[in-house]
Amino acid sequence: MKKILDWFTGGVVKEVGNVIDKLFTSEEERLNAKNEIFKVLQEQQLELQKLQTEIIVTEANGNWLQRSWRPILMLAFGFIVIYVKFIAPLFDLPVPPLEDKFWNLLELGIGGYVIGRSVEKVAGKITINK
């Protein structure tokens, strides 16, 4: 999520501003164009955040599998980490090489688990205004 927010507020916004500066000659035209584009970007960012919130709330209110996939996934990740770091070295078992992508996925999984569990705790109190 942070990368998405950085994308909207960081480099892309600066690049768009640079393009506008090259295209428009008067200061008023530049400011108007920048304001309109930034307004669109902000609306898209808010829409993306609403969609992400709806997904989490829907999962929290869903069936057993929708509510339980995070703990199941975290147990699987936990078993892999315990095997690779403790069981395999202790009993001289083969250790499969885990790519950096696995550890990145684990970090994402932990973040999703924490956020999802937090939302599940407050899901009954959330109201969506449309």
Side-chain angles (χ1 to χ4, degrees):
M1 178 72 171
K2 174 125 174 59
K3 286 185 179 182
I4 293 171
L5 293 177
D6 289 345
W7 182 84
F8 276 110
T9 59
V12 171
V13 171
K14 185 177 179 182
E15 288 179 34
V16 169
N18 291 339
V19 169
I20 291 171
D21 289 341
K22 291 177 186 175
L23 292 176
F24 295 99
T25 55
S26 79
E27 188 65 26
E28 185 178 345
E29 286 177 333
R30 274 191 290 243
L31 289 176
N32 287 338
K34 284 182 182 180
N35 287 336
E36 289 300 314
I37 289 173
F38 296 153
K39 181 179 169 184
V40 169
L41 289 174
Q42 286 178 333
E43 289 171 0
Q44 292 301 314
Q45 179 183 5
L46 288 173
E47 185 64 27
L48 178 63
Q49 289 173 342
K50 285 180 187 176
L51 291 173
Q52 290 171 332
T53 302
E54 285 180 30
I55 289 169
I56 293 171
V57 170
T58 301
E59 286 178 353
N61 292 325
N63 63 32
W64 178 86
L65 184 58
Q66 288 171 320
R67 289 189 310 272
S68 303
W69 71 270
R70 283 185 215 88
I72 293 168
L73 185 63
M74 293 316 299
L75 284 172
F77 275 132
F79 177 76
I80 293 168
V81 171
I82 289 170
Y83 176 83
V84 168
K85 296 293 184 180
F86 301 106
I87 295 173
L90 185 64
F91 296 104
D92 292 324
L93 298 171
V95 178
L98 296 177
E99 300 177 15
D100 290 338
K101 289 180 182 181
F102 171 82
W103 299 107
N104 292 340
L105 187 60
L106 179 62
E107 287 177 3
L108 287 172
I110 291 171
Y113 179 77
V114 170
I115 290 170
R117 293 295 296 161
S118 300
V119 170
E120 285 172 0
K121 292 178 184 176
V122 298
K125 300 172 187 169
I126 295 175
T127 59
I128 298 175
N129 297 328
K130 292 186 179 182

PDB file of all heavy atoms in Angstrom, residues 45-73:
ATOM      1  N   GLN A  45      -6.685   7.629  -6.180  1.00  0.00           N
ATOM      2  CA  GLN A  45      -6.076   7.103  -4.964  1.00  0.00           C
ATOM      3  C   GLN A  45      -7.156   6.784  -3.928  1.00  0.00           C
ATOM      4  O   GLN A  45      -7.147   5.716  -3.312  1.00  0.00           O
ATOM      5  CB  GLN A  45      -5.081   8.106  -4.387  1.00  0.00           C
ATOM      6  CG  GLN A  45      -4.428   7.641  -3.101  1.00  0.00           C
ATOM      7  CD  GLN A  45      -3.506   8.692  -2.513  1.00  0.00           C
ATOM      8  OE1 GLN A  45      -3.407   9.805  -3.010  1.00  0.00           O
ATOM      9  NE2 GLN A  45      -2.832   8.336  -1.454  1.00  0.00           N
ATOM     10  N   LEU A  46      -8.110   7.674  -3.745  1.00  0.00           N
ATOM     11  CA  LEU A  46      -9.198   7.439  -2.799  1.00  0.00           C
ATOM     12  C   LEU A  46     -10.044   6.241  -3.218  1.00  0.00           C
ATOM     13  O   LEU A  46     -10.451   5.426  -2.381  1.00  0.00           O
ATOM     14  CB  LEU A  46     -10.068   8.685  -2.659  1.00  0.00           C
ATOM     15  CG  LEU A  46      -9.444   9.855  -1.904  1.00  0.00           C
ATOM     16  CD1 LEU A  46     -10.355  11.077  -1.981  1.00  0.00           C
ATOM     17  CD2 LEU A  46      -9.163   9.487  -0.466  1.00  0.00           C
ATOM     18  N   GLU A  47     -10.319   6.129  -4.511  1.00  0.00           N
ATOM     19  CA  GLU A  47     -11.098   4.994  -5.013  1.00  0.00           C
ATOM     20  C   GLU A  47     -10.366   3.683  -4.760  1.00  0.00           C
ATOM     21  O   GLU A  47     -10.969   2.684  -4.342  1.00  0.00           O
ATOM     22  CB  GLU A  47     -11.384   5.167  -6.513  1.00  0.00           C
ATOM     23  CG  GLU A  47     -12.270   4.110  -7.099  1.00  0.00           C
ATOM     24  CD  GLU A  47     -13.673   4.104  -6.504  1.00  0.00           C
ATOM     25  OE1 GLU A  47     -14.154   5.160  -6.037  1.00  0.00           O
ATOM     26  OE2 GLU A  47     -14.290   3.025  -6.500  1.00  0.00           O
ATOM     27  N   LEU A  48      -9.060   3.665  -4.982  1.00  0.00           N
ATOM     28  CA  LEU A  48      -8.263   2.469  -4.734  1.00  0.00           C
ATOM     29  C   LEU A  48      -8.308   2.086  -3.257  1.00  0.00           C
ATOM     30  O   LEU A  48      -8.480   0.918  -2.911  1.00  0.00           O
ATOM     31  CB  LEU A  48      -6.817   2.709  -5.181  1.00  0.00           C
ATOM     32  CG  LEU A  48      -5.838   1.570  -4.956  1.00  0.00           C
ATOM     33  CD1 LEU A  48      -6.253   0.343  -5.761  1.00  0.00           C
ATOM     34  CD2 LEU A  48      -4.438   2.010  -5.341  1.00  0.00           C
ATOM     35  N   GLN A  49      -8.196   3.052  -2.380  1.00  0.00           N
ATOM     36  CA  GLN A  49      -8.257   2.779  -0.943  1.00  0.00           C
ATOM     37  C   GLN A  49      -9.635   2.248  -0.542  1.00  0.00           C
ATOM     38  O   GLN A  49      -9.735   1.341   0.282  1.00  0.00           O
ATOM     39  CB  GLN A  49      -7.917   4.038  -0.147  1.00  0.00           C
ATOM     40  CG  GLN A  49      -6.455   4.412  -0.240  1.00  0.00           C
ATOM     41  CD  GLN A  49      -6.147   5.742   0.417  1.00  0.00           C
ATOM     42  OE1 GLN A  49      -7.028   6.551   0.656  1.00  0.00           O
ATOM     43  NE2 GLN A  49      -4.877   5.965   0.715  1.00  0.00           N
ATOM     44  N   LYS A  50     -10.699   2.794  -1.134  1.00  0.00           N
ATOM     45  CA  LYS A  50     -12.048   2.300  -0.838  1.00  0.00           C
ATOM     46  C   LYS A  50     -12.194   0.847  -1.280  1.00  0.00           C
ATOM     47  O   LYS A  50     -12.770   0.020  -0.565  1.00  0.00           O
ATOM     48  CB  LYS A  50     -13.102   3.155  -1.539  1.00  0.00           C
ATOM     49  CG  LYS A  50     -13.334   4.502  -0.907  1.00  0.00           C
ATOM     50  CD  LYS A  50     -14.394   5.274  -1.683  1.00  0.00           C
ATOM     51  CE  LYS A  50     -14.533   6.686  -1.177  1.00  0.00           C
ATOM     52  NZ  LYS A  50     -15.494   7.467  -1.975  1.00  0.00           N
ATOM     53  N   LEU A  51     -11.686   0.530  -2.467  1.00  0.00           N
ATOM     54  CA  LEU A  51     -11.777  -0.841  -2.967  1.00  0.00           C
ATOM     55  C   LEU A  51     -11.002  -1.809  -2.074  1.00  0.00           C
ATOM     56  O   LEU A  51     -11.472  -2.909  -1.776  1.00  0.00           O
ATOM     57  CB  LEU A  51     -11.271  -0.919  -4.404  1.00  0.00           C
ATOM     58  CG  LEU A  51     -12.134  -0.233  -5.455  1.00  0.00           C
ATOM     59  CD1 LEU A  51     -11.433  -0.227  -6.809  1.00  0.00           C
ATOM     60  CD2 LEU A  51     -13.496  -0.898  -5.558  1.00  0.00           C
ATOM     61  N   GLN A  52      -9.815  -1.401  -1.636  1.00  0.00           N
ATOM     62  CA  GLN A  52      -9.031  -2.254  -0.750  1.00  0.00           C
ATOM     63  C   GLN A  52      -9.762  -2.475   0.572  1.00  0.00           C
ATOM     64  O   GLN A  52      -9.775  -3.583   1.109  1.00  0.00           O
ATOM     65  CB  GLN A  52      -7.652  -1.645  -0.502  1.00  0.00           C
ATOM     66  CG  GLN A  52      -6.777  -1.698  -1.735  1.00  0.00           C
ATOM     67  CD  GLN A  52      -5.489  -0.918  -1.571  1.00  0.00           C
ATOM     68  OE1 GLN A  52      -5.421   0.043  -0.813  1.00  0.00           O
ATOM     69  NE2 GLN A  52      -4.457  -1.341  -2.273  1.00  0.00           N
ATOM     70  N   THR A  53     -10.376  -1.432   1.091  1.00  0.00           N
ATOM     71  CA  THR A  53     -11.138  -1.550   2.336  1.00  0.00           C
ATOM     72  C   THR A  53     -12.326  -2.488   2.150  1.00  0.00           C
ATOM     73  O   THR A  53     -12.593  -3.336   3.013  1.00  0.00           O
ATOM     74  CB  THR A  53     -11.627  -0.159   2.792  1.00  0.00           C
ATOM     75  OG1 THR A  53     -10.497   0.690   2.967  1.00  0.00           O
ATOM     76  CG2 THR A  53     -12.407  -0.244   4.083  1.00  0.00           C
ATOM     77  N   GLU A  54     -13.035  -2.361   1.041  1.00  0.00           N
ATOM     78  CA  GLU A  54     -14.181  -3.230   0.776  1.00  0.00           C
ATOM     79  C   GLU A  54     -13.770  -4.696   0.700  1.00  0.00           C
ATOM     80  O   GLU A  54     -14.490  -5.575   1.188  1.00  0.00           O
ATOM     81  CB  GLU A  54     -14.878  -2.819  -0.514  1.00  0.00           C
ATOM     82  CG  GLU A  54     -15.702  -1.563  -0.384  1.00  0.00           C
ATOM     83  CD  GLU A  54     -16.397  -1.184  -1.694  1.00  0.00           C
ATOM     84  OE1 GLU A  54     -16.719  -2.095  -2.484  1.00  0.00           O
ATOM     85  OE2 GLU A  54     -16.624   0.013  -1.895  1.00  0.00           O
ATOM     86  N   ILE A  55     -12.618  -4.961   0.098  1.00  0.00           N
ATOM     87  CA  ILE A  55     -12.138  -6.345   0.000  1.00  0.00           C
ATOM     88  C   ILE A  55     -11.892  -6.918   1.394  1.00  0.00           C
ATOM     89  O   ILE A  55     -12.330  -8.030   1.708  1.00  0.00           O
ATOM     90  CB  ILE A  55     -10.854  -6.421  -0.858  1.00  0.00           C
ATOM     91  CG1 ILE A  55     -11.188  -6.161  -2.315  1.00  0.00           C
ATOM     92  CG2 ILE A  55     -10.167  -7.779  -0.694  1.00  0.00           C
ATOM     93  CD1 ILE A  55      -9.982  -5.954  -3.206  1.00  0.00           C
ATOM     94  N   ILE A  56     -11.226  -6.162   2.227  1.00  0.00           N
ATOM     95  CA  ILE A  56     -10.921  -6.636   3.575  1.00  0.00           C
ATOM     96  C   ILE A  56     -12.198  -6.837   4.385  1.00  0.00           C
ATOM     97  O   ILE A  56     -12.367  -7.843   5.071  1.00  0.00           O
ATOM     98  CB  ILE A  56      -9.944  -5.671   4.282  1.00  0.00           C
ATOM     99  CG1 ILE A  56      -8.578  -5.715   3.584  1.00  0.00           C
ATOM    100  CG2 ILE A  56      -9.801  -6.024   5.755  1.00  0.00           C
ATOM    101  CD1 ILE A  56      -7.604  -4.663   4.058  1.00  0.00           C
ATOM    102  N   VAL A  57     -13.127  -5.888   4.297  1.00  0.00           N
ATOM    103  CA  VAL A  57     -14.391  -6.005   5.038  1.00  0.00           C
ATOM    104  C   VAL A  57     -15.197  -7.200   4.529  1.00  0.00           C
ATOM    105  O   VAL A  57     -15.769  -7.961   5.319  1.00  0.00           O
ATOM    106  CB  VAL A  57     -15.203  -4.693   4.943  1.00  0.00           C
ATOM    107  CG1 VAL A  57     -16.606  -4.881   5.497  1.00  0.00           C
ATOM    108  CG2 VAL A  57     -14.484  -3.579   5.685  1.00  0.00           C
ATOM    109  N   THR A  58     -15.233  -7.398   3.223  1.00  0.00           N
ATOM    110  CA  THR A  58     -15.968  -8.530   2.647  1.00  0.00           C
ATOM    111  C   THR A  58     -15.383  -9.847   3.122  1.00  0.00           C
ATOM    112  O   THR A  58     -16.117 -10.769   3.493  1.00  0.00           O
ATOM    113  CB  THR A  58     -15.949  -8.465   1.107  1.00  0.00           C
ATOM    114  OG1 THR A  58     -16.534  -7.236   0.691  1.00  0.00           O
ATOM    115  CG2 THR A  58     -16.711  -9.625   0.492  1.00  0.00           C
ATOM    116  N   GLU A  59     -14.054  -9.948   3.128  1.00  0.00           N
ATOM    117  CA  GLU A  59     -13.414 -11.164   3.625  1.00  0.00           C
ATOM    118  C   GLU A  59     -13.746 -11.385   5.101  1.00  0.00           C
ATOM    119  O   GLU A  59     -14.023 -12.502   5.523  1.00  0.00           O
ATOM    120  CB  GLU A  59     -11.899 -11.081   3.450  1.00  0.00           C
ATOM    121  CG  GLU A  59     -11.439 -11.255   2.030  1.00  0.00           C
ATOM    122  CD  GLU A  59      -9.940 -11.110   1.901  1.00  0.00           C
ATOM    123  OE1 GLU A  59      -9.272 -10.738   2.889  1.00  0.00           O
ATOM    124  OE2 GLU A  59      -9.422 -11.359   0.808  1.00  0.00           O
ATOM    125  N   ALA A  60     -13.697 -10.319   5.882  1.00  0.00           N
ATOM    126  CA  ALA A  60     -13.954 -10.436   7.320  1.00  0.00           C
ATOM    127  C   ALA A  60     -15.381 -10.889   7.590  1.00  0.00           C
ATOM    128  O   ALA A  60     -15.638 -11.580   8.575  1.00  0.00           O
ATOM    129  CB  ALA A  60     -13.682  -9.106   8.007  1.00  0.00           C
ATOM    130  N   ASN A  61     -16.319 -10.524   6.741  1.00  0.00           N
ATOM    131  CA  ASN A  61     -17.722 -10.898   6.931  1.00  0.00           C
ATOM    132  C   ASN A  61     -18.104 -12.161   6.160  1.00  0.00           C
ATOM    133  O   ASN A  61     -19.254 -12.576   6.203  1.00  0.00           O
ATOM    134  CB  ASN A  61     -18.644  -9.752   6.495  1.00  0.00           C
ATOM    135  CG  ASN A  61     -18.532  -8.571   7.413  1.00  0.00           C
ATOM    136  OD1 ASN A  61     -18.346  -8.719   8.606  1.00  0.00           O
ATOM    137  ND2 ASN A  61     -18.623  -7.376   6.855  1.00  0.00           N
ATOM    138  N   GLY A  62     -17.160 -12.769   5.479  1.00  0.00           N
ATOM    139  CA  GLY A  62     -17.461 -13.902   4.604  1.00  0.00           C
ATOM    140  C   GLY A  62     -17.547 -15.226   5.329  1.00  0.00           C
ATOM    141  O   GLY A  62     -17.656 -15.299   6.554  1.00  0.00           O
ATOM    142  N   ASN A  63     -17.467 -16.304   4.550  1.00  0.00           N
ATOM    143  CA  ASN A  63     -17.565 -17.650   5.104  1.00  0.00           C
ATOM    144  C   ASN A  63     -16.277 -18.034   5.844  1.00  0.00           C
ATOM    145  O   ASN A  63     -15.327 -17.262   5.900  1.00  0.00           O
ATOM    146  CB  ASN A  63     -17.910 -18.666   4.006  1.00  0.00           C
ATOM    147  CG  ASN A  63     -16.838 -18.749   2.946  1.00  0.00           C
ATOM    148  OD1 ASN A  63     -15.644 -18.564   3.209  1.00  0.00           O
ATOM    149  ND2 ASN A  63     -17.247 -19.022   1.719  1.00  0.00           N
ATOM    150  N   TRP A  64     -16.246 -19.266   6.356  1.00  0.00           N
ATOM    151  CA  TRP A  64     -15.104 -19.703   7.165  1.00  0.00           C
ATOM    152  C   TRP A  64     -13.794 -19.608   6.392  1.00  0.00           C
ATOM    153  O   TRP A  64     -12.793 -19.125   6.915  1.00  0.00           O
ATOM    154  CB  TRP A  64     -15.323 -21.146   7.632  1.00  0.00           C
ATOM    155  CG  TRP A  64     -14.163 -21.643   8.423  1.00  0.00           C
ATOM    156  CD1 TRP A  64     -13.958 -21.479   9.754  1.00  0.00           C
ATOM    157  CD2 TRP A  64     -13.024 -22.358   7.924  1.00  0.00           C
ATOM    158  NE1 TRP A  64     -12.769 -22.040  10.124  1.00  0.00           N
ATOM    159  CE2 TRP A  64     -12.173 -22.587   9.012  1.00  0.00           C
ATOM    160  CE3 TRP A  64     -12.655 -22.813   6.673  1.00  0.00           C
ATOM    161  CZ2 TRP A  64     -10.962 -23.260   8.888  1.00  0.00           C
ATOM    162  CZ3 TRP A  64     -11.449 -23.483   6.552  1.00  0.00           C
ATOM    163  CH2 TRP A  64     -10.619 -23.702   7.645  1.00  0.00           C
ATOM    164  N   LEU A  65     -13.780 -20.036   5.144  1.00  0.00           N
ATOM    165  CA  LEU A  65     -12.543 -20.005   4.360  1.00  0.00           C
ATOM    166  C   LEU A  65     -12.092 -18.569   4.103  1.00  0.00           C
ATOM    167  O   LEU A  65     -10.904 -18.260   4.188  1.00  0.00           O
ATOM    168  CB  LEU A  65     -12.715 -20.748   3.036  1.00  0.00           C
ATOM    169  CG  LEU A  65     -11.463 -20.855   2.168  1.00  0.00           C
ATOM    170  CD1 LEU A  65     -10.339 -21.555   2.933  1.00  0.00           C
ATOM    171  CD2 LEU A  65     -11.760 -21.584   0.881  1.00  0.00           C
ATOM    172  N   GLN A  66     -13.027 -17.678   3.802  1.00  0.00           N
ATOM    173  CA  GLN A  66     -12.664 -16.283   3.569  1.00  0.00           C
ATOM    174  C   GLN A  66     -12.078 -15.653   4.837  1.00  0.00           C
ATOM    175  O   GLN A  66     -11.195 -14.822   4.756  1.00  0.00           O
ATOM    176  CB  GLN A  66     -13.885 -15.488   3.111  1.00  0.00           C
ATOM    177  CG  GLN A  66     -14.319 -15.821   1.701  1.00  0.00           C
ATOM    178  CD  GLN A  66     -15.653 -15.190   1.356  1.00  0.00           C
ATOM    179  OE1 GLN A  66     -16.564 -15.155   2.174  1.00  0.00           O
ATOM    180  NE2 GLN A  66     -15.749 -14.688   0.144  1.00  0.00           N
ATOM    181  N   ARG A  67     -12.594 -16.042   5.989  1.00  0.00           N
ATOM    182  CA  ARG A  67     -12.077 -15.489   7.245  1.00  0.00           C
ATOM    183  C   ARG A  67     -10.795 -16.174   7.682  1.00  0.00           C
ATOM    184  O   ARG A  67     -10.011 -15.600   8.433  1.00  0.00           O
ATOM    185  CB  ARG A  67     -13.122 -15.635   8.353  1.00  0.00           C
ATOM    186  CG  ARG A  67     -14.302 -14.732   8.209  1.00  0.00           C
ATOM    187  CD  ARG A  67     -15.180 -14.784   9.449  1.00  0.00           C
ATOM    188  NE  ARG A  67     -15.528 -16.129   9.879  1.00  0.00           N
ATOM    189  CZ  ARG A  67     -16.578 -16.826   9.462  1.00  0.00           C
ATOM    190  NH1 ARG A  67     -17.406 -16.281   8.583  1.00  0.00           N
ATOM    191  NH2 ARG A  67     -16.822 -18.033   9.908  1.00  0.00           N
ATOM    192  N   SER A  68     -10.578 -17.421   7.227  1.00  0.00           N
ATOM    193  CA  SER A  68      -9.490 -18.234   7.778  1.00  0.00           C
ATOM    194  C   SER A  68      -8.292 -18.412   6.864  1.00  0.00           C
ATOM    195  O   SER A  68      -7.323 -19.048   7.261  1.00  0.00           O
ATOM    196  CB  SER A  68     -10.038 -19.622   8.139  1.00  0.00           C
ATOM    197  OG  SER A  68     -11.096 -19.503   9.040  1.00  0.00           O
ATOM    198  N   TRP A  69      -8.307 -17.875   5.665  1.00  0.00           N
ATOM    199  CA  TRP A  69      -7.206 -18.142   4.753  1.00  0.00           C
ATOM    200  C   TRP A  69      -5.900 -17.551   5.266  1.00  0.00           C
ATOM    201  O   TRP A  69      -4.831 -18.126   5.075  1.00  0.00           O
ATOM    202  CB  TRP A  69      -7.502 -17.669   3.334  1.00  0.00           C
ATOM    203  CG  TRP A  69      -7.512 -16.190   3.141  1.00  0.00           C
ATOM    204  CD1 TRP A  69      -8.575 -15.351   3.266  1.00  0.00           C
ATOM    205  CD2 TRP A  69      -6.395 -15.366   2.805  1.00  0.00           C
ATOM    206  NE1 TRP A  69      -8.197 -14.066   3.019  1.00  0.00           N
ATOM    207  CE2 TRP A  69      -6.854 -14.028   2.733  1.00  0.00           C
ATOM    208  CE3 TRP A  69      -5.045 -15.607   2.553  1.00  0.00           C
ATOM    209  CZ2 TRP A  69      -6.024 -12.961   2.431  1.00  0.00           C
ATOM    210  CZ3 TRP A  69      -4.218 -14.531   2.238  1.00  0.00           C
ATOM    211  CH2 TRP A  69      -4.714 -13.237   2.188  1.00  0.00           C
ATOM    212  N   ARG A  70      -5.970 -16.419   5.946  1.00  0.00           N
ATOM    213  CA  ARG A  70      -4.733 -15.818   6.452  1.00  0.00           C
ATOM    214  C   ARG A  70      -4.073 -16.693   7.517  1.00  0.00           C
ATOM    215  O   ARG A  70      -2.869 -16.958   7.435  1.00  0.00           O
ATOM    216  CB  ARG A  70      -5.001 -14.417   6.988  1.00  0.00           C
ATOM    217  CG  ARG A  70      -5.148 -13.391   5.909  1.00  0.00           C
ATOM    218  CD  ARG A  70      -5.302 -11.990   6.528  1.00  0.00           C
ATOM    219  NE  ARG A  70      -6.198 -11.215   5.703  1.00  0.00           N
ATOM    220  CZ  ARG A  70      -7.514 -11.186   5.827  1.00  0.00           C
ATOM    221  NH1 ARG A  70      -8.109 -11.852   6.769  1.00  0.00           N
ATOM    222  NH2 ARG A  70      -8.248 -10.465   5.014  1.00  0.00           N
ATOM    223  N   PRO A  71      -4.821 -17.161   8.529  1.00  0.00           N
ATOM    224  CA  PRO A  71      -4.166 -18.028   9.510  1.00  0.00           C
ATOM    225  C   PRO A  71      -3.618 -19.318   8.887  1.00  0.00           C
ATOM    226  O   PRO A  71      -2.532 -19.768   9.263  1.00  0.00           O
ATOM    227  CB  PRO A  71      -5.283 -18.340  10.521  1.00  0.00           C
ATOM    228  CG  PRO A  71      -6.286 -17.268  10.354  1.00  0.00           C
ATOM    229  CD  PRO A  71      -6.189 -16.810   8.939  1.00  0.00           C
ATOM    230  N   ILE A  72      -4.361 -19.890   7.936  1.00  0.00           N
ATOM    231  CA  ILE A  72      -3.887 -21.110   7.275  1.00  0.00           C
ATOM    232  C   ILE A  72      -2.587 -20.825   6.533  1.00  0.00           C
ATOM    233  O   ILE A  72      -1.613 -21.580   6.624  1.00  0.00           O
ATOM    234  CB  ILE A  72      -4.969 -21.668   6.325  1.00  0.00           C
ATOM    235  CG1 ILE A  72      -6.167 -22.156   7.132  1.00  0.00           C
ATOM    236  CG2 ILE A  72      -4.402 -22.779   5.447  1.00  0.00           C
ATOM    237  CD1 ILE A  72      -7.398 -22.452   6.293  1.00  0.00           C
ATOM    238  N   LEU A  73      -2.562 -19.730   5.788  1.00  0.00           N
ATOM    239  CA  LEU A  73      -1.361 -19.353   5.046  1.00  0.00           C
ATOM    240  C   LEU A  73      -0.199 -19.070   5.993  1.00  0.00           C
ATOM    241  O   LEU A  73       0.933 -19.491   5.746  1.00  0.00           O
ATOM    242  CB  LEU A  73      -1.648 -18.123   4.173  1.00  0.00           C
ATOM    243  CG  LEU A  73      -0.523 -17.668   3.250  1.00  0.00           C
ATOM    244  CD1 LEU A  73      -0.207 -18.750   2.229  1.00  0.00           C
ATOM    245  CD2 LEU A  73      -0.905 -16.385   2.558  1.00  0.00           C
TER     246      LEU A  73
END
